Amino acid sequence: EVQLVQSGAEVKKPGESLKISCKGSGYSFTNYWIGWVRQMPGKGLEWMGIIYPGDSDTRYSPSFQGQVTISADKSISTAYLQWSSLKASDTAIYYCARPPNVCSGDNCYMGGYMDVWGKGTTVTVSS
Amino acid sequence: SYEVTQPPSVSVSPGQTARITCSGDALRNQYVYWYQQKPGQAPVLVIYKDSERPSGIPERFSGSSSGTTVTLTISGVQAEDEADYYCQSVDRSGSDWVFGGGTKLTVL
C-alpha cells in the first residue's frame, strides 16, 4: 500500500526553527515528486512547493519562496519542510502529497494533481 | 501566477444535483482537478483531468469543462457528500500549482 506518513504535531515559539517530515512507503520514493500544501485554521488549501527526490529538483510557490525549505533524503525515503524562524502566521496544518506519474509509451511525467496524501502535521506557533 | 475562482458555498437538498464551478482564464488550456475535504481529514481526489473519476469514487461525481469554467457535478447528493470542495490546476511546466478558495457544500 502506498503511504505517506507525516511526523507528529509540533508546538513552537516564534523565532524557533522546525523541520517536519513525510516518509513514503509502498512505492519507489526516488521516482515520484512530493509536494507540500498548507491549510491555515479555517482556511483553504495553498500549494507551497514540490521536490523530486531522485535529483532534488525543487520548485516553490512564489508565496513561499524564501520562507521555507523543502528537501528530501532518498536514503530513508523522507521529504522535509523546514523553517529557520517561525512566525505565528505559520500556524497551520501542513500536508505532504504525491502526484502520480503519467506515462505515454516510454515517456513519463508528473501528473498535475495529488492522489496520495499524508494525514497532515499540525504546527502551532505561539508565545 | 494565475487565479481560479470558486463560489464560497453551495446548498442542496438530499437527492438533488449540486454543481460547483471553478473559473479562470488559464483553465482554457489547463486541466482541473477536484478534491473533497471533510472536517479533520486530508483532501481526497474525486475528479482528475476535468472529468475523469478515480477508482473508488462514486459515479454520482462527474466533471465537465467549457471554455474557462470547469464544473464538478454531484448527482443525487447524499448527506455524506457534505464537505469542502477544492479545484486545482497546474501550468504545463508543473511549477505553478493553484488551488481555488474552496466551496462548502451543505446538504440541507
Side-chain angles (χ1 to χ4, degrees):
Chain A
E1 180 191 6
V2 175
Q3 283 191 24
L4 296 174
V5 178
Q6 298 190 233
S7 50
E10 301 274 0
V11 179
K12 292 289 192 179
K13 290 181 167 37
E16 291 185 333
S17 62
L18 176 65
K19 192 173 189 177
I20 62 175
S21 66
C22 170
K23 182 175 177 60
S25 63
Y27 72 99
S28 177
F29 183 77
T30 54
N31 291 342
Y32 287 80
W33 294 79
I34 285 190
W36 288 93
V37 175
R38 182 176 79 173
Q39 188 167 39
M40 299 176 74
K43 301 298 184 183
L45 305 174
E46 300 174 89
W47 183 73
M48 301 177 71
I50 200 161
I51 187 167
Y52 188 73
D55 61 7
S56 294
D57 183 5
T58 308
R59 302 167 189 187
Y60 292 93
S61 161
S63 300
F64 292 94
Q65 178 85 49
Q67 308 304 308
V68 297
T69 301
I70 294 170
S71 61
D73 184 342
K74 57 188 179 183
S75 70
I76 54 172
S77 301
T78 301
Y80 300 98
L81 178 65
Q82 68 180 90
W83 296 260
S84 58
S85 180
L86 287 160
K87 307 188 252 311
S89 57
D90 293 317
T91 294
I93 300 173
Y94 294 88
Y95 294 100
C96 64
R98 193 203 75 171
N101 284 339
V102 178
C103 297
S104 177
D106 290 337
N107 292 324
C108 292
Y109 57 93
M110 175 179 62
Y113 58 100
M114 300 186 179
D115 63 350
V116 181
W117 291 71
K119 293 187 183 303
T121 295
T122 299
V123 174
T124 303
V125 184
S126 174
S127 54
Chain B
S1 193
Y2 57 96
E3 292 185 354
V4 293
T5 302
Q6 301 179 233
S9 63
V10 168
S11 299
V12 295
S13 298
Q16 289 191 328
T17 296
R19 294 180 179 85
I20 300 172
T21 58
C22 179
S23 301
D25 288 343
L27 302 185
R28 191 183 301 277
N29 301 307
Q30 296 175 189
Y31 285 122
V32 165
Y33 310 91
W34 291 95
Y35 303 87
Q36 175 195 68
Q37 187 182 34
K38 296 183 178 179
Q41 298 183 19
V44 172
L45 181 75
V46 294
I47 292 289
Y48 65 100
K49 290 176 72 174
D50 291 349
S51 60
E52 302 292 323
R53 193 174 53 249
S55 60
I57 300 302
E59 289 184 8
R60 63 181 181 273
F61 288 86
S62 64
S64 62
S65 175
S66 179
T68 59
T69 298
V70 181
T71 302
L72 171 68
T73 300
I74 311 171
S75 304
V77 166
Q78 301 181 7
E80 68 196 51
D81 299 329
E82 186 164 283
D84 293 324
Y85 291 85
Y86 294 90
C87 65
Q88 174 251 305
S89 190
V90 61
D91 70 347
R92 290 186 182 275
S93 73
S95 300
D96 196 2
W97 296 56
V98 170
F99 285 97
T103 298
K104 182 175 181 58
L105 175 65
T106 300
V107 182
L108 301 170

